[in-house]
Amino acid sequence: MASLGIPSNTIEVLQKYNFNFQKKFGQNFLIEPRVLERIIGAAEITKDDMALEIGPGIGTMTQYLCEQARKVVAVEIDQNLIPILEDTLKEYDNITIINQDILKLDLMELVTRENEGKPVKVVANLPYYITTPIVMGLLEKHVPIASITIMVQKEVADRMQTGPGSKDYGALSLAVQYYAKPEIVANVPPNCFIPRPKVGSAVIRLSLYEKPPVEVKDESMMFRFIRASFNQRRKTLQNGISNDPTLPYGKEDVKEALLAMGKSETVRGETFTLEDFASFTNFLLK
Ligand code: SAM
């Protein structure tokens, strides 16, 4: 395998094709083989697996995935990268490249078609400008996925993994932790990419649950409560929810549910665990 992860090989490919980085697509290509090996190791891809790669760039990580997986599907938005990928991946017959915006793709249909609906392993060095919509799209649409191993901005990885009491705790933490067990695998400094991003990065692995860790009567209502209580940080949960014009619950309803849970009516959303939000929802919808 011609490892593109070595800086000189990446530069050679970029020069050969006179490639211009597009900032709007969040293009920061990995040039550190040890980081690539960490990501591939954490993803635990075997010859039984289909790997779905989001944003293959010039195919650096894709080469590793093609070696490990039975099948790889890579979705890349930038059409200028397609001829490059066809070149760098020409020795593999287990790769399908799709020139599309990942946010516009019907992933359920893709996984059903390409992997008979069996869970796939998602691996990516994500474009940072759309990390949250990509991850939430994968989780909320219930696409069959076993795990998601991704490079993201360090701060976003922290938000996904943290719990109550941290300044990073919020709606993203709760949404991710409802669907998956998060684990930060590595911190990655800017000099592992070309061009260098302005922020630090981290690799995080999300192992999806077969069944969520809490039981809730109405999942989407719980997430509306979560968003309402974090929209108004430093406000009480009671105010956050009763001030939200889209939610049909007043102060008295919220107070009753909180007291039934044995909580104070002045409690703040940022102290609530996922279990608390689930039982709050169940009490309120009783
Ligand atoms: N995987 C490569 C690597 O590690 O070197 C490239 C990673 S780079 C951070 C992100 C990649 O995602 C770029 O190739 C970019 O063109 C692509 N991309 C950006 N927005 C996308 C979208 N909406 N759908 C699919 N790919 C996208």
Side-chain angles (χ1 to χ4, degrees):
M1 177 174 72
S3 178
L4 291 168
I6 297 166
S8 57
N9 289 352
T10 294
I11 289 163
E12 197 184 308
V13 170
L14 297 175
Q15 282 176 347
K16 179 173 166 193
Y17 285 91
N18 205 7
F19 180 77
N20 290 315
F21 286 99
Q22 299 227 47
K23 233 183 163 173
K24 67 170 180 189
F25 290 145
Q27 293 175 337
N28 300 95
F29 296 166
L30 257 168
I31 47 162
E32 174 51 77
R34 279 175 301 185
V35 174
L36 285 154
E37 279 154 23
R38 273 305 269 289
I39 298 174
I40 299 294
E44 293 176 345
I45 308 262
T46 72
K47 280 289 169 201
D48 288 334
D49 292 322
M50 171 181 142
L52 170 64
E53 187 183 13
I54 300 164
I58 61 168
T60 311
M61 199 150 71
T62 328
Q63 290 185 335
Y64 284 82
L65 292 171
C66 288
E67 297 278 336
Q68 305 277 330
R70 176 176 50 83
K71 177 175 188 169
V72 181
V73 175
V75 181
E76 174 55 62
I77 196 169
D78 185 353
Q79 60 176 16
N80 293 329
L81 287 166
I82 304 303
I84 305 184
L85 287 164
E86 280 163 3
D87 182 9
T88 59
L89 302 171
K90 61 176 180 289
E91 65 182 81
Y92 300 104
D93 59 8
N94 59 346
I95 171 81
T96 305
I97 300 163
I98 300 176
N99 184 200
Q100 254 270 33
D101 179 345
I102 188 74
L103 296 176
K104 297 202 176 126
L105 207 60
D106 181 345
L107 287 169
M108 194 63 111
E109 189 275 329
L110 177 89
V111 173
T112 308
R113 174 165 41 91
E114 296 286 345
N115 207 36
E116 296 160 358
K118 292 197 298 267
V120 299
K121 291 183 176 166
V122 177
V123 186
N125 169 16
L126 284 182
Y128 294 174
Y129 73 109
I130 44 169
T131 300
T132 303
I134 292 177
V135 173
M136 291 319 300
L138 292 171
L139 296 173
E140 282 173 346
K141 286 183 193 143
H142 299 278
V143 180
I145 293 173
S147 62
I148 303 175
T149 308
I150 42 178
M151 176 89 72
V152 298
Q153 198 178 320
K154 168 86 178 81
E155 192 195 313
V156 176
D158 290 338
R159 274 163 48 199
M160 289 180 181
Q161 201 191 26
T162 199
S166 151
K167 67 168 179 26
D168 295 321
Y169 185 58
L172 181 66
S173 328
L174 285 153
V176 165
Q177 292 164 29
Y178 178 71
Y179 295 105
K181 182 165 131 338
E183 183 192 350
I184 293 181
V185 174
N187 289 322
V188 183
N191 63 6
C192 294
F193 303 86
I194 174 173
R196 291 181 184 198
K198 290 199 178 69
V199 292
S201 303
V203 179
I204 187 164
R205 180 188 151 114
L206 310 177
S207 311
L208 272 79
Y209 296 124
E210 278 177 22
K211 200 168 138 279
V214 295
E215 271 187 39
V216 62
K217 283 188 182 142
D218 183 340
E219 187 176 304
S220 79
M221 188 56 86
M222 178 176 76
F223 284 115
R224 287 175 68 188
F225 292 147
I226 289 173
R227 278 192 295 271
S229 49
F230 283 98
N231 261 346
Q232 309 207 349
R233 266 185 190 269
R234 292 179 301 278
K235 287 244 162 63
T236 62
L237 183 127
Q238 193 182 32
N239 281 337
I241 291 175
S242 59
N243 289 346
D244 185 328
T246 70
L247 286 170
Y249 299 100
K251 275 192 159 183
E252 280 307 310
D253 304 314
V254 177
K255 181 177 168 185
E256 205 179 302
L258 289 175
L259 294 182
M261 288 170 70
K263 299 272 184 191
S264 149
E265 62 186 289
T266 60
V267 72
R268 292 172 202 281
E270 55 259 43
T271 67
F272 256 37
T273 61
L274 180 61
E275 289 72 20
D276 291 333
F277 274 110
S279 61
F280 173 75
T281 307
N282 293 341
F283 274 115
L284 209 54
L285 300 190
K286 226 182 207 163

